[in-house]
Amino acid sequence: MKMDFIVGDGNGSGSGGSHHLDGGGRGGRREAERKKKRYHRHTAYQIQRLEATFKECPHPDEKQRLQLSRELGLAPRQIKFWFQNRRTQMKAQHERADNCALRMENDKIRCENIAMREALKNAICPNCGGPPLSEDPYFDEQRLRIENAQLRDELERMSSIAAKYIGRPMNISPLDLSMAMGEGPSLDFDLLPGNSMVVPIQPPQPTCALSDMDKPLMTDIAVSAMEELLRLLQTNEPLWTRNDGCREILNLGSYENMFPRASNHGKNPNVRTEASRSSGVVFMNALALVDMFMDCVKWAELFPTIVATSKTLAVVSSGMNGTHEGALHLMYEELHVLSPLVATREFYMLRYCQQIELATWVVVNISYEHPQFVSRSRSCRLPSGCVIQDMHNGYSKVTWVEHVDVEEKEPVHEIYRDMIHTGLAFGAERWVTVLQRMSERFASLLVSGTSSRDLGGVITSVEGKRSMTRLAQRMVRNFCLSVSTSNNSSSVTVSGLNEVGVRVTAHKSPEPNSTVLCAATTFWLPVSPQNIFNFLKDERNRPQAFNSSQNNMLILQESCIDSSGALVVYSPLELPALQIAMSGEDPLFIPLLPSGFTISPDGNSRITTMDQGDCGSSSSFGGGSLITVAFQIMVSSLSSAKLNMESVTTANNLINTTVHQIKTALNCSTA
């Protein structure tokens, strides 16, 4: 990753088979007896010693577990499982105590409510001295009947969701609501949980009201998803196979045998499954990563090229003991590919965080259906997420699984079909590589010193470096949103994709009486991403790629490349604004007009080029590249309502000229 200043041109593997039940066979009884004989009960001394250790350290490390193993004559695995079960038991005890306190408070409120109702029966009218007029009992009964139906629908919905995600109906005893119709003591319907769940569908909001029945169901789904994710992370062949010798792809047959679900049978033939696994070492400690993953704002900043929108709708659990252990959030997330040709993917999901061992955390995502929110895309996130292992040297090892079912509303554009269907666009490898790159950026903000070589020797202070880094980060974020089809963008589409695939959008500029046009398109070249990146990031090649009237302007440019793709983003800056950022002041209000290029591998291994970047020299050991070009243009003295076709034509011509010049410079004019 580099920022440059340019003065001049402004440019556990399953068995793989089914399990059969022998209802009356001898083999089944012998198997059951054999399993019973394996059961081992700890002695009183062992339990006493384990309990004493647990009080001092609920999360013993491997050395402590080995010491206990030798002392008590138990296997290290038994010690590990005992502490896991004990932590789960302790958490359940705390939850039961909380539930008991809430139940007592609820009974107290109910008694107060009954007393108030009795007092109202004896109330008198202050004007006439007579009894107050009551509501029509017919309408009272109808209101109770409506609430009765709503509660029954809510119970059925919860049970069906539980059956879908955790394989069994939720154990909820339905209330005998007929008692409210005069067949016994009356119930206070205003105090029953779930009586206000029927709400109209609306766009994502910062908060979401959850009923008392939602929370235990969400917890069950999240815990089951975490257990499945851990098995996916810890099991290798035949559950996972290597594609092209490197990328790990899920074997769907083995997966369905290992995790049988009712939804696996009669699956929609139009639904496509994408599932991949990847791992890497990240320059950030585990606690810092967990903190960023559980904060929706930091999460979007960490993955600007993948996450278009991230919102926390409700906090089901904030964690334990001031940490994120046991934290559970209901979230909305929109993922994008940086191209006007690819639709975004939306998820309403649960994000659950748990510490499974000392210095080891798991963060799991699982789609969650809620009547208050309906996704516009047809994507379902199956148990996905990562395990983060702290390496005690400032680094962490992250192992990631991404598993989704997708039903496209529209066919994928032909030039993106290979990239998306092979999982390169939204797969685990892309998440890990972007995390590695961005973690280095955030780590650079934390260093206490700087050198004269940073940013070409222009910035010498730590505060100035941090301010410029934040400015560049905002530039990249704005560019990514302007290019993609995200619903989070405030832009209005002025001209949809034309015959050559150019889309023009407009949004209001912070400057008065001004509008910003953004023109973007994506095209394919049979040249490797590295060669195209080397060409576009070199300012000496800029006159070949595009023309600009902004001569002698300072340009802030960020360029980066990894295995998932490359970015070259730049924005003109006025000298006073640049001095503000270089002095270390907050760059939030510095105006930016970012333009640039994104470069992605096309996912096709049949065509590539040699190192010279010449379309005439090809071989069969790699793939081509997908290049997205986007320009933002300030249109002065025009409101968005007065944009005419002349402005759109100007934007289209600029894009077309740039694409032609890039192809010509790379000897690919016929591509």
Side-chain angles (χ1 to χ4, degrees):
M1 179 185 307
K2 186 177 76 170
M3 285 188 295
D4 304 309
F5 289 99
I6 307 168
V7 181
D9 288 329
N11 273 330
S13 181
S15 62
S18 302
H19 298 279
H20 301 281
L21 297 178
D22 186 358
R26 297 178 181 176
R29 287 194 294 272
R30 284 198 298 268
E31 180 68 16
E33 292 173 359
R34 185 174 64 84
K35 289 183 177 180
K36 287 183 179 180
K37 290 179 181 178
R38 285 185 179 182
Y39 184 78
H40 175 75
R41 184 181 296 276
H42 298 323
T43 65
Y45 171 74
Q46 289 173 333
I47 295 176
Q48 183 180 7
R49 183 71 178 88
L50 289 169
E51 289 285 357
T53 304
F54 181 81
K55 290 180 180 179
E56 297 177 0
C57 179
H59 293 276
D61 57 21
E62 185 176 359
K63 182 179 179 180
Q64 292 171 312
R65 292 199 300 267
L66 289 174
Q67 181 179 351
L68 284 172
S69 173
R70 290 191 296 268
E71 181 180 339
L72 301 179
L74 297 174
R77 190 177 181 85
Q78 290 177 290
I79 300 293
K80 175 182 176 180
F81 287 153
W82 188 91
F83 274 89
Q84 287 182 352
N85 294 336
R86 188 66 181 88
R87 289 194 296 269
T88 303
Q89 182 183 13
M90 181 66 69
K91 182 179 178 181
Q93 290 174 354
H94 291 163
E95 290 177 349
R96 283 196 295 270
D98 293 342
N99 291 338
C100 183
L102 290 173
R103 193 178 297 110
M104 293 176 61
E105 183 68 19
N106 187 48
D107 291 341
K108 178 182 177 182
I109 295 175
R110 190 183 298 276
C111 291
E112 293 177 355
N113 186 275
I114 293 174
M116 293 174 65
R117 288 174 181 261
E118 291 296 329
L120 288 174
K121 291 180 181 179
N122 301 323
I124 60 173
C125 177
N127 295 327
C128 64
L133 294 176
S134 62
E135 295 181 3
D136 190 337
Y138 171 82
F139 293 106
D140 281 345
E141 181 177 344
Q142 293 304 311
R143 178 177 62 84
L144 294 177
R145 289 186 183 277
I146 293 173
E147 293 178 353
N148 186 351
Q150 292 176 353
L151 288 170
R152 290 188 184 278
D153 290 341
E154 179 68 11
L155 286 171
E156 292 176 1
R157 183 183 71 83
M158 291 294 180
S159 182
S160 64
I161 294 177
K164 176 178 179 181
Y165 286 103
I166 61 179
R168 57 180 173 82
M170 191 175 180
N171 186 19
I172 304 177
S173 300
L175 298 172
D176 187 5
L177 301 178
S178 62
M179 296 172 63
M181 304 305 171
E183 302 174 3
S186 63
L187 291 176
D188 184 0
F189 277 80
D190 293 333
L191 297 178
L192 290 177
N195 64 327
S196 60
M197 286 302 300
V198 180
V199 294
I201 298 174
Q202 53 185 308
Q205 300 294 327
T207 58
C208 169
L210 301 177
S211 71
D212 291 342
M213 289 184 288
D214 273 302
K215 295 181 179 181
L217 175 61
M218 289 178 171
T219 303
D220 282 349
I221 291 174
V223 171
S224 297
M226 182 189 70
E227 294 171 353
E228 177 174 325
L229 176 64
L230 289 175
R231 292 183 67 185
L232 290 174
L233 290 165
Q234 296 166 359
T235 307
N236 295 315
E237 295 182 351
L239 185 62
W240 294 97
T241 60
R242 290 196 175 271
N243 184 23
D244 298 329
C246 54
R247 297 182 60 246
E248 288 189 298
I249 305 299
L250 186 66
N251 184 323
L252 297 182
S254 298
Y255 172 78
E256 291 178 0
N257 288 333
M258 182 177 290
F259 303 101
R261 288 190 180 91
S263 59
N264 289 339
H265 304 286
K267 190 174 181 180
N268 187 342
N270 297 322
V271 173
R272 190 184 74 258
T273 298
E274 297 175 9
S276 57
R277 184 174 71 173
S278 183
S279 62
V281 176
V282 176
F283 187 25
M284 191 175 292
N285 65 64
L287 289 178
L289 284 175
V290 168
D291 179 67
M292 298 190 78
F293 284 13
M294 299 306 294
D295 185 317
C296 64
V297 176
K298 294 178 181 178
W299 172 261
E301 292 178 348
L302 194 58
F303 298 98
T305 58
I306 304 178
V307 179
T309 313
S310 180
K311 296 181 180 180
T312 299
L313 304 176
V315 177
V316 183
S317 172
S318 59
M320 300 172 57
N321 303 323
T323 70
H324 292 292
E325 182 174 5
L328 178 59
H329 297 176
L330 175 62
M331 302 184 68
Y332 166 79
E333 185 172 76
E334 184 184 23
L335 308 183
H336 60 183
V337 172
L338 301 183
S339 171
L341 304 181
V342 182
T344 59
R345 293 180 179 179
E346 292 181 302
F347 300 97
Y348 290 95
M349 65 183 190
L350 299 172
R351 175 164 295 167
Y352 180 58
C353 179
Q354 187 64 263
Q355 184 177 9
I356 55 175
E357 291 182 359
L358 186 67
T360 301
W361 295 77
V362 59
V363 179
V364 60
N365 300 316
I366 176 76
S367 284
Y368 183 76
E369 297 177 0
H370 195 283
Q372 189 173 351
F373 306 110
V374 176
S375 174
R376 287 179 285 264
S377 65
R378 300 175 184 176
S379 302
C380 176
R381 211 169 203 165
L382 300 174
S384 304
C386 63
V387 162
I388 307 170
Q389 298 171 285
D390 199 295
M391 301 175 67
H392 305 291
N393 59 354
Y395 289 81
S396 300
K397 180 181 179 181
V398 178
T399 306
W400 201 294
V401 167
E402 199 64 25
H403 189 187
V404 297
D405 280 346
V406 182
E407 181 182 4
E408 274 96 6
K409 294 181 291 185
E410 300 177 358
V412 178
H413 195 281
E414 59 180 355
I415 69 172
Y416 271 99
R417 190 174 297 130
D418 289 332
M419 181 183 178
I420 291 179
H421 286 190
T422 56
L424 290 175
F426 297 99
E429 183 180 4
R430 187 178 176 212
W431 286 94
V432 172
T433 53
V434 172
L435 177 61
Q436 289 175 316
R437 173 167 52 83
M438 293 301 294
S439 65
E440 293 181 4
R441 166 193 284 277
F442 282 98
S444 68
L445 295 176
L446 303 177
V447 296
S448 57
T450 186
S451 68
S452 60
R453 299 193 313 176
D454 290 336
L455 298 176
V458 177
I459 303 175
T460 57
S461 69
V462 176
E463 294 77 11
K465 177 183 176 182
R466 291 175 179 171
S467 179
M468 288 298 300
T469 303
R470 287 194 294 268
L471 182 63
Q473 183 175 330
R474 183 162 67 90
M475 175 184 69
V476 171
R477 177 72 176 165
N478 291 350
F479 173 78
C480 293
L481 288 177
S482 69
V483 170
S484 75
T485 59
S486 169
N487 298 305
N488 188 39
S489 173
S490 58
S491 301
V492 176
T493 300
V494 178
S495 174
L497 295 173
N498 59 17
E499 64 278 1
V500 292
V502 179
R503 184 199 63 181
V504 180
T505 60
H507 64 268
K508 189 171 180 58
S509 170
E511 298 184 12
N513 300 322
S514 297
T515 300
V516 175
L517 284 182
C518 177
T521 190
T522 300
F523 61 100
W524 176 84
L525 286 181
V527 183
S528 69
Q530 182 69 60
N531 288 339
I532 297 177
F533 174 73
N534 292 340
F535 171 77
L536 292 176
K537 75 170 183 176
D538 189 345
E539 63 273 11
R540 294 172 298 180
N541 295 329
R542 290 296 171 76
Q544 302 178 47
F546 51 83
N547 297 318
S548 175
S549 60
Q550 296 177 329
N551 294 323
N552 300 319
M553 285 287 293
L554 289 176
I555 302 294
L556 174 64
Q557 174 181 304
E558 175 159 330
S559 55
C560 58
I561 187 169
D562 53 43
S563 60
S564 67
L567 273 176
V568 178
V569 183
Y570 61 91
S571 178
L573 285 178
E574 295 181 356
L575 184 58
L578 181 62
Q579 291 173 336
I580 290 176
M582 293 174 60
S583 66
E585 296 185 31
D586 189 355
L588 181 61
F589 299 104
I590 294 178
L592 292 169
L593 204 62
S595 300
F597 309 87
T598 71
I599 311 162
S600 303
D602 63 359
N604 189 336
S605 60
R606 292 173 295 179
I607 303 175
T608 190
T609 63
M610 303 298 286
D611 292 338
Q612 289 84 358
D614 191 335
C615 286
S617 303
S618 63
S619 64
S620 57
F621 300 101
S625 300
L626 299 171
I627 304 99
T628 297
V629 183
F631 292 122
Q632 296 199 65
I633 308 167
M634 182 79 72
V635 183
S636 302
S637 303
L638 285 176
S639 66
S640 58
K642 295 181 180 180
L643 285 173
N644 52 30
M645 288 308 299
E646 183 179 354
S647 302
V648 175
T649 302
T650 301
N652 283 330
N653 290 339
L654 177 60
I655 287 288
N656 293 334
T657 302
T658 301
V659 171
H660 175 73
Q661 291 179 343
I662 292 175
K663 290 182 176 181
T664 301
L666 294 174
N667 298 323
C668 297
S669 56
T670 59

